[in-house]
């Protein structure tokens, strides 16, 4: 079973059961965004968690297997058009160089890893309208001369 | 004075005085990333803060004026090549659709604003290597039928 | 049922009944452009209105459900080739920077929201040839320092 | 004098005199967005109005001449990055096909001209935050068989 | 019936009957290029002519209906690779700015419409090799201040 | 003297003398569009005509020499943004495939040359608004098996 | 039968019979590269030769017909990735301007036709490794003033 | 002295002396296209030949040095717009896959080198118009398993 | 059987037998990366090895035949998005020009062949985290004047 | 002093002293490719090594300072045209997916770091022509669920 058929089956089961990513994630024991990225075919999880996930959704073994395969990460749009996703691109365009300079003043020459990385989403209540908080958390990787 | 000459003068003064963006930001009373984005010509600040900034760096009035002008926000590279900035693009590619779905399960159909927005950077100490925390915080804007 | 099958069914029903978007929209109680964007899979509507829409077109429950799902907004052509749509792109190219400066002189540094937004179309009669009036109406969102 | 030197001189004069586009436009007798587009080198005006404009800003004859030359309309960014201008692109992406269908249901096969065209900006007061109204107004041009 | 199925049916009928676009066009009473553009899905014709066309090719009513629908005009290749079509692009590249200046010296600031437009093809006999004459004919649209 | 300095000098002389491309072209004995393309650096003319041109504009010998050099033909914008020039691109997109089929039905497999080619512009008077006629005329080049 | 089905049938027949393009080409009486380009759908041949080709491969009449239709020439990759084909692109990049200047010094202002054109491939034996010789042969087309 | 200043000096000397690339090439003892590519900064030659070249053009030692430096080969246009150079691109598009198949039928899996490579230009006289012959000659490089 | 069906069959057999590329490669007698590239349709192997491979996976003769055909090498993404593959692109961007200069200082003007080439992968144990070693090994190809 | 002026001064000093990157690198105590990347403005080195480098080349303190600043890493060409650098791109295209699968079979889901990374170049003597060995060595970074 390839990843795209796997995604289709998971989405169908999720909708018919009325689950949210958050419900499934807390059952499997990972964060919602990570769980969603696995189910959308952008990441893998270890076989044990894959079994829990498949069982919770009432899906068969080949979904379990597909969930633990290592996918190539491919996206089609050079710049995403969806407004919610585009805003990340806009933030990188407007604040990217500023973030680079502030991070490197604090940590030295290097980057924030996107591999040894996690991302959490929180709701911040606000009388003027609630706010979305997205917390990126990646290991600092220093450049080193060789 | 245009924004790019303004940036050049600020960078020169900052380097000769040995200041970091953090030092200047705390003097001016804004966050370091916001301050850097103003000085790099991607945002504006109100004239009062602009005066404080210019005075702190020993710069003249025309810098103050340039700091409070509203800039067009223009970036040249469709996809940034700098590894630190590219990682944001990679995160949007790998996790963007997952974030969209998790945010909209929680908040309904809409987006996180990149205008009514703030971004903070923190260091998270970790024995396996310190971590960079970047907190994005934007107002949720719902789509509404009309 | 995915959004593209939903669109296909709606278009078929609309054509066989000889309805215009305007007719359907006034039945559902939203504006014609918003209604069309929902039916073409670019927006969602609340379940109650979705039921009215599906009933009016004689379509089943799965169309109702698909109409109220939150879609990713994806378009294929970086610059639209259709002459009617391209003209918007041309207007943004010729007048965009002018609009930015005039809006910001009036409102301060910020943007017109494309989310808290509505768009109406009117016919303006003119002996030299009638004119199309398109009224864009979005909340002003100010940039704020943090 | 080429258009880009003309723009530079006009901007300098406008800033030193503290004028807005609106002030200058009402002196010259055209709309603010049109006036700004002329001064930014994207349009021309007839010599009489060009003289009024140059005189009001205290500029010489060669500015007058440059203002009435017919410019090629060239923009560098395939998709504008500035958030205010990008939102037009986003609106064309999200609503463009819907607008095409609604306009053509009303007017027949054809387009809204971007040449026989005008654009006005209004402020709509709103207790939840004022709104920007942008009114596009172009002659309908029908396709005709030949 | 969508436009691409319509095109397929028309091409099949045209080939089985051995008609040229010219033959069909003179039967329908429009120019060959316009007729071809309608059959290839880039334009529409009024229902009466659509009926004549469908009858002449021995096709059913749904083709008639499809012929009179207003299509979005979409092309896939940013720059066409076919040598005959590419030469138009090359002509626009080599002579475009010259044409702009000569047209605007004659007509004033404005453009040649591509909507209120027709295009005819003629053969010019020449002992050194016959020549293709393509006559573009579009209404002049002047820019006007507002 | 390179072509771009040559163009600058010619434009300056043309403006100071108040000539149009048409005036200069009839003096030199070539068509206005060809003449403009030579002066804008996209084509060359034989030395005798170059001398006539330079003399008529009161320019020196190095302009004459530059006019007769063979230029690489380079344009920067993959798709021209200027509305007048873009319309050619739109015509090629909407009618290109139709033109290919009609030309090849008449002439056989081959193309219209853009090298053994001429282009003329005429005004067609029309009470509903004058029309621009652009006549493309190129030798038919047949593909031949080898 | 469209060109892509035609290609599929020809390739299958060619493989099952174990023919090379060279064998087929010499039977049909054209050069191997031209023959291959016809079979891959990039060119046409006259009906008589098409019949010989189809008969030699044991294919039916509709293949004959498809072989003599005039195809649009469409390629998908702006820059080919296949290393053998990319090397042509690299040669045009490294030597293109040099070739232009040397050809035009010899022939005057003009180009080598790619339509009145042939291309042959030869093997040049060499003890250090045999060499591929590709001979491009196109009519010189001069630019002429009009 | 960088390569672009070197090119400028060589072109100026070549023009003032009225030399062609062919004249210079035969003096230096290399082929005209190779010589031109060296002078345009796309290749290098050994110091002895560089001295001969510089002396023949009456240029100084720093030109000699620049001629023998190894340049990065950089071209700006993804697809060249100049018609003469574009025709190579068109040939690669129309015949590239055919050439690949014919070359590999003859030589096995591999490519024609663009490094161990030479390119010559010949005039072929023809009463219907002379022809340009361009002979590409590169070592065949086989792919080998490892 | 085309290459993509071949790949599908090989992947299915590989997964059902639980083989790694390394296991298969050592059976066939080639390196793992080369073997994988053959099975993914980017290279060919000689018929004898193709037979061994097909037999080891329990596949039929048409897979053997497909494995020894010479494929065009086509990839879709101009810049790969997969993080592991993108890092090669990043390395070429950051270190490419440095590598060019260091290689050419050592070897003279020329390149490392990507055809007469091999690539091996090794694990380097390291207490701070094991390291991936990728050894590229290509014949040096010198540029030579002609 | 900005990085590009720094590079210019270093290249000038390197050439006038006749040093290679290897000579300078061994003096500074880093690898040649790393040293070149620092001098070309793509990396930084610690101030002590920067002083050694500047002293060895006879350059002033501001070069030392510039060498230890943290640069944004920016490259202009989406795909490098230089043949030596392009070959890396070609290798990533042809072997990238194979490398991904072989690395992940050995190490699990993750990537080779391009930050905690080194690159060495060796000459491998070979009677058929010496070979370039490029050894990429990066820490394996595993993806981890969170």
């Amino acid at each position: 079973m390839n990843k795209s058929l796997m995604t289709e089956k998971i989405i169908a089961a999720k909708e018919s059961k009325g689950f949210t990513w958050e419900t499934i994630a807390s059952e499997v024991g990972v964060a919602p965004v990570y769980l969603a990225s696995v189910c959308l075919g952008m990441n893998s999880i270890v076989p044990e968690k894959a079994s829990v996930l498949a069982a919770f959704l009432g899906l068969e073994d080949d979904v379990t297997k597909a969930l633990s395969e290592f996918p190539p990460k491919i996206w089609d749009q050079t710049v995403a058009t969806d407004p919610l996703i585009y805003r990340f691109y806009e933030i990188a365009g407007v604040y990217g160089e500023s973030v680079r300079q502030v991070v490197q003043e604090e940590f030295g020459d290097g980057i924030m890893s996107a591999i040894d990385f996690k991302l959490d989403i929180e709701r911040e209540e606000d009388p003027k309208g609630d706010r979305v908080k997205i917390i990126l958390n990646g290991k600092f990787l220093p450049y080193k001369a060789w």
Side-chain angles (χ1 to χ4, degrees), chain A:
Chain A
M1 180 180 285
N2 63 30
K3 291 272 179 184
S4 95
L5 181 53
M6 173 199 85
T7 296
E8 208 176 291
K9 295 211 166 193
I10 289 173
I11 296 293
K14 169 177 179 286
E15 292 197 353
S16 85
K17 292 184 187 284
F19 290 159
T20 61
W21 291 123
E22 190 153 0
T23 319
I24 306 171
S26 83
E27 182 74 18
V28 176
V30 294
V33 168
Y34 189 81
L35 190 274
S37 77
V38 169
C39 293
L40 297 173
M42 277 295 197
N43 272 303
S44 61
I45 43 172
V46 293
E48 304 72 52
K49 286 183 185 295
S51 297
V52 175
L53 198 165
F56 187 57
L57 291 168
L59 295 167
E60 310 97 73
D61 277 7
D62 49 357
V63 168
T64 306
K65 188 141 174 282
L67 282 163
S68 57
E69 275 165 15
F70 309 155
K73 295 171 177 17
I74 294 171
W75 53 94
D76 289 339
Q77 296 191 295
T78 303
V79 178
T81 56
D82 181 78
L84 189 144
I85 306 176
Y86 179 81
R87 295 308 182 268
F88 284 84
Y89 177 78
E90 194 169 291
I91 291 165
V94 175
Y95 298 105
E97 177 61 11
S98 298
V99 167
R100 184 185 75 78
Q101 295 190 13
V102 172
V103 167
Q104 295 183 347
E105 279 185 358
E106 170 67 24
F107 290 84
D109 202 354
I111 70 162
M112 177 184 79
S113 181
I115 307 296
D116 187 337
F117 172 80
K118 56 191 186 183
L119 183 164
D120 290 298
I121 293 172
E122 295 175 7
R123 176 193 280 266
E124 184 179 270
E125 306 215 345
D126 187 312
K128 280 174 286 179
D130 287 0
R131 301 179 72 83
V132 184
K133 265 179 77 175
I134 298 179
I135 299 112
L136 314 176
N137 180 319
K139 189 179 181 185
F140 179 74
L141 303 180
Y143 290 107
K144 278 174 283 196
W146 72 83

